[in-house]
Amino acid sequence: MADEDAPLPPHANGNGQEENGHVPEIELIIKASTIDGRRKGACLFCQEYFMDLYLLAELKTISLKVTTVDMQKPPPDFRSNFDANPPPILIDNGMAVLENEKIERHIMKNVPGGYNLFVQDKEVATLIENLYSKLKLMLLKKDDVSINSLLSHLRKINSHLEKKDTRFLTGDTMCCFDCELMPRLQHIRVAGKYFMDFQIPTDLRYLWRYMLHMYQLDAFTQSCPADQDIVNHYKQQQNVKMKKHEELETPTFTTSIPMELDIQDE
């Protein structure tokens, strides 16, 4: 296992001491890159919880440590400690929390500040569910029906953002839904472009503005996997072998917006 080398916010990877007392250290174990076995992998849930906890570390309610584990060659202590359960795995005060739903519940109920991240909004919850399944269907089918289904879903999100006219899904403060949606939008953007030359239409102005705001946040950029790792994630699903030269490529990160969209100051 390797400690994640991305810069973490103040009170992350530190002693976790506040003037008024102890700030608990939370460790998040995430899947490593399937290309080099060390950097961040392209697991959506790993990035989602990384973002949740990063936001809390920025607020100094916790100290955050992020560790990557190569699931192709997991170390012996990982197998024995976690019974081969795959990441994400959250460790709080020596207690390991396994399974996504339990991790989410633990952050909400037991991690200081976590409750404020998990807002209740049925409209937004319904709006973003099934988005990822539509990406996977498009990559599998590669037909107009699946493409239009994904586009229709993206247009609904764009319309919601236009109606709200806020920086994020539920307001001007990030919440759990943003930590869930943005990694999926990144996969749509990177994998869709690579496999099908699919691009999020520029007329979805409010969606692009939302993505611009997210690209400016450390919580997203520090948790975001490289483009190559996102692509390789889907190559593995399709049983496509990685080419040798891909291991030597310098990681790239798509975090810009189309030049024709002049929304910098909005």
Side-chain angles (χ1 to χ4, degrees):
M1 293 191 288
D3 288 350
E4 173 56 44
D5 56 7
L8 292 171
H11 285 263
N13 271 337
N15 294 324
Q17 294 290 333
E18 284 274 26
E19 290 182 3
N20 297 327
H22 179 69
V23 174
E25 180 177 275
I26 304 293
E27 181 178 5
L28 182 68
I29 300 175
I30 64 174
K31 291 179 182 176
S33 163
T34 52
I35 296 176
D36 79 347
R38 289 186 59 85
R39 65 180 185 244
K40 295 177 294 288
C43 169
L44 284 167
F45 291 108
C46 291
Q47 186 180 5
E48 178 181 342
Y49 301 137
F50 191 156
M51 289 180 68
D52 285 329
L53 294 169
Y54 194 102
L55 290 170
L56 297 180
E58 284 187 319
L59 294 173
K60 301 181 181 179
T61 64
I62 65 168
S63 172
L64 176 61
K65 177 182 180 181
V66 178
T67 304
T68 57
V69 60
D70 184 353
M71 292 307 294
Q72 295 173 327
K73 301 175 182 177
D77 63 332
F78 179 86
R79 296 179 185 275
S80 58
N81 290 338
F82 307 115
D83 196 26
N85 279 283
I89 296 170
L90 185 148
I91 301 177
D92 183 358
N93 196 28
M95 179 183 71
V97 184
L98 314 174
E99 302 175 18
N100 295 334
E101 289 185 3
K102 292 181 180 179
I103 291 174
E104 187 172 303
R105 193 178 308 121
H106 187 88
I107 295 173
M108 179 172 61
K109 293 187 175 182
N110 301 103
V111 176
Y115 180 81
N116 294 326
L117 282 176
F118 288 85
V119 301
Q120 300 296 315
D121 192 318
K122 290 185 178 180
E123 179 185 355
V124 171
T126 301
L127 181 68
I128 66 177
E129 69 179 355
N130 300 323
L131 177 64
Y132 182 58
S133 63
K134 290 183 178 180
L135 167 63
K136 293 183 71 173
L137 187 63
M138 182 184 74
L139 296 179
L140 176 66
K141 297 288 188 180
K142 295 183 173 63
D143 60 9
D144 288 342
V145 173
S146 60
I147 293 171
N148 290 331
S149 177
L150 178 59
L151 282 171
S152 176
H153 201 134
L154 292 173
R155 291 189 186 283
K156 289 178 182 177
I157 297 173
N158 184 75
S159 295
H160 169 83
L161 291 166
E162 181 179 11
K163 180 178 67 175
K164 291 284 291 186
D165 197 24
T166 53
R167 287 171 60 86
F168 305 111
L169 285 169
T170 61
D172 289 320
T173 303
M174 277 185 66
C175 71
C176 61
F177 294 121
D178 300 295
C179 297
E180 180 178 348
L181 174 62
M182 188 58 196
R184 286 154 177 76
L185 290 175
Q186 188 72 0
H187 279 229
I188 289 170
R189 188 177 185 192
V190 173
K193 172 68 175 176
Y194 182 89
F195 290 101
M196 298 184 57
D197 202 27
F198 174 88
Q199 299 189 60
I200 298 174
T202 54
D203 67 327
L204 300 185
R205 186 177 184 84
Y206 289 87
L207 182 59
W208 277 110
R209 186 180 72 168
Y210 173 83
M211 293 171 68
L212 173 63
H213 289 151
M214 297 298 291
Y215 285 144
Q216 294 171 339
L217 296 176
D218 289 342
F220 179 76
T221 58
Q222 298 301 335
S223 64
C224 186
D227 296 345
Q228 290 88 340
D229 288 304
I230 293 175
V231 168
N232 199 50
H233 176 77
Y234 296 97
K235 282 185 177 181
Q236 289 190 322
Q237 290 186 5
Q238 299 173 16
N239 293 317
V240 176
K241 289 187 177 181
M242 180 176 61
K243 298 174 182 177
K244 288 185 177 181
H245 72 83
E246 291 180 274
E247 297 181 6
L248 304 176
E249 289 182 359
T250 301
T252 59
F253 298 86
T254 299
T255 56
S256 61
I257 63 170
M259 292 184 63
E260 60 266 33
L261 283 168
D262 184 19
I263 55 177
Q264 297 293 329
D265 297 322
E266 292 185 15

